Structure formats: structure tokens, C-alpha cells
Amino acid sequence: MRPWLALRYLNIDFEEVRIPLFTPGYKEKLRAYSSAGLVPIYRKGDITIWDSLAILEHLAERHPQLWPKEPNARATARAVSAEMHAGFQSLRTHLPLNCRARGRHIPFTENVNKDICRITEIWEQCRNLHRFKGPWLFGRFSIADTMYAPVASRFVTYSVATGDTVQEYIDALMKDANVARWMAEAAAEEETIDAYENIGKP
Ligand SMILES: N[C@@H](CCC(=O)N[C@@H](CS)C(=O)NCC(=O)O)C(=O)O
């Protein structure tokens, strides 16, 4: 989702190869592109990049507008993106990304609540400290917003309660044309992931 959003934001034409995860033979299909066997994988010419933040950094070398212009904001944007990339395992495990599970209610563990508190703290600080105009974490849409978009969608799916500042940010992300397109395409997919299917079902 993250590199896909950045490519769309930059209006770069690309071919998308969809490999439904956890379906028969998916690992072999992924490994045909990258030995890591995980998505996302970006290929251009003779380069293959198999990590979302590495892909985003690669795109930012040619399109520096993907990071905030101001050096301090850029450093903070990199820090919050790295924190997202390396952390929040409880939330990612217990609240899987599933656009079709909207309205499901699951009890949040203590560690999930800790992740939620830290994420909302980051969003509030970015929105309040920098006082940028516009709805995004650092003024214009940046890599930091792509990094947090999948988490924001989990907040919507699992009805995570937030304050106004955070809710405004989540709403802005969900209304963004590229995020909305990703969600609509994901919701229309026919495949299901068994391990996710029953989470939160009554
Ligand atoms: N560090 C990697 C994480 C990649 C990753 O864990 N991808 C998951 C989906 S979000 C995956 O490919 N899962 C398939 C599997 O575990 O077999 C990145 O963000 O690019």
C-alpha cells in the first residue's frame, strides 16, 4: 500500500502485479521476484527493492517532495516513519489490515492499547507541533503519511476511539483519492485470508 500510494501521488505510471497472500503457491510467486518472499516488491530496469521504506527512499531520491522540505521536519518525518516501520507489532498482529472487516469489535490487549496510544501521540505531535497548514502530518502529503495509512485504516476497521485532531487526520487519509482507490480495490478482491476472516466476528 505504501509505495503504491507514493507512486500514485507522484502520478508515475506503473504495472501492478497482484499476488494474493496466503493462497496456494504465493511464496514461490513472490520469490520469483525477490528472495525475501515478502511484499511489497518494486522493480525498475535492473533494480529490485523488497522493502517498503527502501522503495520510498528510492523514489524520494528522484522526487524529493516525498519528504518535507524543511530539515527539522524532514528529520522528524524520517523518525516517525522508521518508528512505524520497526514497531507496533501488537497492533499489526491483533488488528490485521482488512478493509472488509469494518464494524468488527475486538477486545484490545494491553499492548495493542499501548501501540494505539503511541501512534495517536505521534499524530498529535506532528499535527500540533509543526502547525502546518493542510491535513497531513508535515504539511504536504509525505512518506510519513504513506507509512501510517495502513494503521489509520485499522483504526477505522476496528473503531478505535480517538480525539478530534487524530480523527481529522484519519478522515483526511480515508478521503484521499488514492487511499480511497486502494481501499475500494482491496474491498473488491475475491480472495480471503482464513486467519483474518473470523477476527471480531460475532
Ligand atoms: N519490512 C517489510 C515487511 C514486509 C512484510 O512483512 N510483508 C508482508 C505483508 S505486509 C508479507 O509479505 N507477508 C507475506 C508472508 O508473510 O508470507 C516492508 O515493510 O516492506
Side-chain angles (χ1 to χ4, degrees):
M1 182 180 193
R2 294 153 170 165
W4 188 97
L5 288 177
L7 287 163
R8 293 268 177 231
Y9 172 76
L10 294 168
N11 280 318
I12 293 176
D13 253 348
F14 62 100
E15 182 197 354
E16 186 180 347
V17 178
R18 206 177 64 86
I19 298 175
L21 301 183
F22 310 111
T23 55
Y26 85 98
K27 264 295 175 208
E28 289 68 31
K29 288 181 195 158
L30 290 178
R31 287 213 174 101
Y33 290 95
S34 147
S35 54
L38 297 171
V39 290
I41 303 161
Y42 172 92
R43 286 177 87 187
K44 189 177 177 201
D46 55 7
I47 183 160
T48 299
I49 314 174
W50 60 91
D51 177 84
S52 52
L53 194 50
I55 298 166
L56 291 163
E57 286 286 13
H58 177 74
L59 294 174
E61 284 185 41
R62 280 230 175 151
H63 306 278
Q65 68 270 33
L66 282 177
W67 286 118
K69 197 167 180 203
E70 199 273 309
N72 287 356
R74 193 161 63 246
T76 310
R78 282 205 160 99
V80 300
S81 297
E83 188 171 344
M84 174 72 250
H85 204 39
F88 308 123
Q89 282 314 325
S90 294
L91 182 134
R92 287 154 94 159
T93 306
H94 296 290
L95 276 56
L97 183 51
N98 182 358
C99 325
R100 288 177 295 198
R102 195 158 178 183
R104 304 244 185 111
H105 290 284
I106 51 176
F108 299 156
T109 64
E110 195 183 333
N111 284 335
V112 167
N113 277 322
K114 273 189 198 157
D115 284 352
I116 290 171
C117 283
R118 177 61 191 150
I119 290 164
T120 54
E121 182 176 51
I122 289 170
W123 288 345
E124 272 168 8
Q125 282 176 355
C126 292
R127 301 279 303 129
N128 293 333
L129 284 181
H130 295 281
R131 301 238 164 260
F132 287 115
K133 291 201 174 77
W136 307 119
L137 294 177
F138 296 92
R140 63 190 297 172
F141 191 79
S142 78
I143 285 175
D145 299 296
T146 72
M147 288 303 291
Y148 280 91
V151 163
S153 100
R154 288 164 157 96
F155 275 47
V156 174
T157 297
Y158 302 103
S159 309
V160 175
T162 66
D164 289 349
T165 306
V166 165
Q167 195 55 51
E168 278 165 23
Y169 177 60
I170 294 171
D171 291 346
L173 268 175
M174 294 304 126
K175 273 191 221 139
D176 175 77
N178 294 322
V179 174
R181 178 171 166 183
W182 171 277
M183 297 296 215
E185 288 184 15
E189 285 182 345
E190 285 175 7
E191 301 84 4
T192 53
I193 296 176
D194 289 347
Y196 294 1
E197 261 319 278
N198 291 321
I199 291 181
K201 269 196 179 160

